[in-house]
Amino acid sequence: MPTTAVMVEPASRVRGRVRPPGDKSISHRYALLAAMADGTSIIRGYSTGGDCASTLRCLRGLGVEIRQTGTDDEAGVTIEIAGRGLRGLVAPGAMLDAGNSGSTIRMLSGLLAAHPFRTSIAGDASLRRRPMRRIIVPLERMGARFVSDDGRPPLTVEGTLDLAAIDFAPDVPSAQVKSAVLLAGLHAHGTTRVREPLQTRDHTERALRLFGATVHEVDGGIALAGGQRLSARSLSVPGDLSSAAFWMVAAAALPGSEIVVEDVGLNPTRTGILGILERAGARIDTVASGGGDEPVGTLRVRHGGLRDLVIAPEEVPGVIDELPVLAALATHGGSISVSGAQELRVKESDRISALADGLRRMGAEIEEQPDGFRVRGSRRLPGGEVDARNDHRLAMAFAVAALGASGPTTIHDAGAAAVSYPQFFSVLESLRA
Ligand code: S3P
């Protein structure tokens, strides 16, 4: 599937209403916490993307019973997870497969650190290149043991009943690292504290509270006492703002466009993209519709001209997944300059080098730096043939750049979009005005 090539024709504008797929980050967390809770949880709108399926597959391999009980159109599926209680996972009979999903392997390692058996977790070629020392170091400090391929998957985690709480300050702002340590901390003796260099998405903290745990904010960080039991819940996953970002950027880029995004997550640690698109000239109306522990609402995004953008290092964690599509925005007009984003080099691909290669092949002028890039605002790229390098966000970002080209663009490996947004290319066709 990842080798699929898709040809994207230019579009004069995009118009329509979209309900993005269930949020990928929240889906993973609800599934992991439901697996550790007492009782059966119901999760509606669970992402149908390949990454969230990887989390369910791994949990099943650890003895968790999961049933799909419904399909919620584009929104996702309804699943029931029979919680096994704290430390209730059982030793798997075989190596687990996290597929393409960094969130799965990193957060699951936090849980497995507290289980007194060995688990091996492998992944695809992309995952096998991704750095794991960032979770191995703190989880070993807590008492777990790891075997890895020089800091990369496959990983073998040997957990312990004797996990000790730590005070941890990660070097990189990473919600996956914070979450792995907190999930281990839930099982540790004492209170675990995580102090991040910059705020990252806080879905784990919110989800822990939702499942009944007490989580404190401490000066610049989070504190969680070990030994707290979780209770099953009935929950809905909001739409994924990072998936919606492709349509929001397309609407901001193409004159005469208007896209309404319904039932989308508006967690303030994720909404950096809204302010940035407004800075670029987009007109955005936001109507909050409440939501429970995760804010939800409706967005209307319209084109309003395009201005140059500078993304500062402190903004990067809030839009880390949106940077590829923001680079695509600059191919429609206005320039973009991004720094402090070296983390892009260790995502599903080296996103700086792969973006530069793809956008150049479409005719853009892009300058690569070790920690970012600069795209010269251009009008009317010719289009061309690009390689998404098996990276879902690149496949979709190239498609958004292709909408503004003068000719068609062929995207190789476009099937990678299914990792987070299986319906992406059919929704794209429905939004052409
Ligand atoms: C995620 C955190 C980010 C993000 C990824 C999802 C999460 O990764 O890029 O798509 O759900 O916690 P890092 O934690 O590696 O920055």
Side-chain angles (χ1 to χ4, degrees):
M1 176 181 55
T3 51
T4 344
V6 168
M7 190 197 276
V8 179
E9 299 282 352
S12 53
R13 54 187 188 159
V14 286
R15 291 179 86 84
R17 300 178 87 82
V18 187
R19 199 302 185 176
D23 187 276
K24 179 161 91 72
S25 293
I26 298 173
S27 294
H28 286 301
R29 285 153 172 91
Y30 285 179
L32 292 170
L33 294 188
M36 287 194 298
D38 296 315
T40 296
S41 293
I42 300 172
I43 307 174
R44 281 175 221 86
Y46 188 85
S47 163
T48 50
D51 272 6
C52 293
S54 292
T55 288
L56 298 185
R57 184 174 60 241
C58 289
L59 286 173
R60 287 190 173 108
L62 292 158
V64 182
E65 268 180 51
I66 303 171
R67 280 197 317 136
Q68 182 181 324
T69 56
T71 303
D72 314 329
D73 305 323
E74 307 118 274
V77 291
T78 298
I79 54 172
E80 282 187 17
I81 301 189
R84 298 193 58 93
L86 214 58
R87 292 189 203 276
L89 302 178
V90 295
M95 186 178 269
L96 303 182
D97 176 11
N100 191 243
S101 177
S103 302
T104 304
I105 195 168
R106 292 191 177 123
M107 293 198 280
L108 194 59
S109 294
L111 281 191
L112 291 169
H115 287 79
F117 50 77
R118 272 190 200 177
T119 308
S120 295
I121 318 173
D124 69 7
S126 153
L127 195 68
R128 287 198 300 274
R129 287 192 294 270
R130 298 187 65 188
M132 296 295 144
R133 285 225 167 82
R134 50 186 62 194
I135 56 147
I136 294 175
V137 168
L139 296 176
E140 288 204 326
R141 260 182 66 200
M142 297 176 87
R145 286 292 158 257
F146 280 82
V147 179
S148 69
D149 179 7
D150 197 22
R152 287 162 213 282
L155 288 186
T156 299
V157 192
E158 188 172 347
T160 170
L161 293 176
D162 237 350
L163 221 51
I166 55 168
D167 211 323
F168 184 59
D171 313 325
V172 282
S174 162
Q176 293 175 4
V177 172
K178 168 174 68 178
S179 303
V181 173
L182 288 176
L183 293 177
L186 186 68
H187 301 79
H189 303 296
T191 295
T192 293
R193 292 182 186 80
V194 184
R195 290 190 176 80
E196 306 190 88
L198 288 168
Q199 162 92 62
T200 64
R201 63 193 70 191
D202 66 356
H203 303 302
T204 300
E205 298 88 302
R206 287 175 186 258
L208 280 164
R209 290 192 183 107
L210 190 54
F211 279 84
T214 303
V215 182
H216 293 289
E217 320 261 307
V218 287
D219 51 333
I222 304 118
L224 175 72
Q228 304 185 57
R229 295 199 74 91
L230 305 179
S231 308
R233 289 284 181 264
S234 175
L235 307 158
S236 292
V237 179
D240 197 322
L241 185 60
S242 299
S243 297
F246 297 98
W247 313 130
M248 291 159 59
V249 168
L254 297 164
S257 294
E258 177 171 331
I259 294 284
V260 175
V261 183
E262 293 170 334
D263 199 11
V264 66
L266 294 175
N267 178 316
T269 61
R270 296 280 295 283
T271 49
I273 182 71
L274 303 182
I276 289 172
L277 285 180
E278 282 176 331
R279 245 151 67 200
R283 289 179 292 154
I284 304 182
D285 305 307
T286 307
V287 182
S289 52
D293 303 77
E294 285 284 354
V296 179
T298 298
L299 298 170
R300 183 162 67 124
V301 185
R302 284 170 297 160
H303 174 84
L306 282 175
R307 290 193 286 267
D308 293 347
L309 276 176
V310 177
I311 313 279
E314 57 279 11
E315 292 182 277
V316 164
V319 286
I320 188 72
D321 292 336
E322 288 73 68
L323 292 173
V325 75
L326 283 169
L329 177 67
T331 66
H332 292 262
S335 67
I336 185 168
S337 171
V338 176
S339 59
Q342 55 279 7
E343 275 295 299
L344 287 180
R345 295 213 179 263
V346 290
K347 292 292 179 190
E348 286 81 333
S349 66
D350 174 342
R351 284 190 177 153
I352 296 180
S353 128
L355 255 181
D357 179 56
L359 294 180
R360 262 183 217 128
R361 284 173 191 274
M362 294 179 69
E365 269 183 63
I366 173 164
E367 204 182 289
E368 207 184 308
Q369 281 119 23
D371 68 336
F373 54 84
R374 190 183 144 75
V375 186
R376 274 269 300 270
S378 45
R379 279 249 154 246
R380 288 270 163 214
L381 302 183
E385 207 165 317
V386 300
D387 184 358
R389 300 202 196 170
N390 200 21
D391 182 330
H392 57 129
R393 298 210 197 272
L394 292 187
M396 296 185 276
F398 291 146
V400 171
L403 296 177
S406 55
T409 297
T410 301
I411 305 171
H412 293 279
D413 258 1
V419 151
S420 59
Y421 202 163
Q423 310 84 352
F424 177 84
F425 285 99
S426 57
V427 175
L428 172 61
E429 289 317 308
S430 73
L431 296 177
R432 284 176 189 283

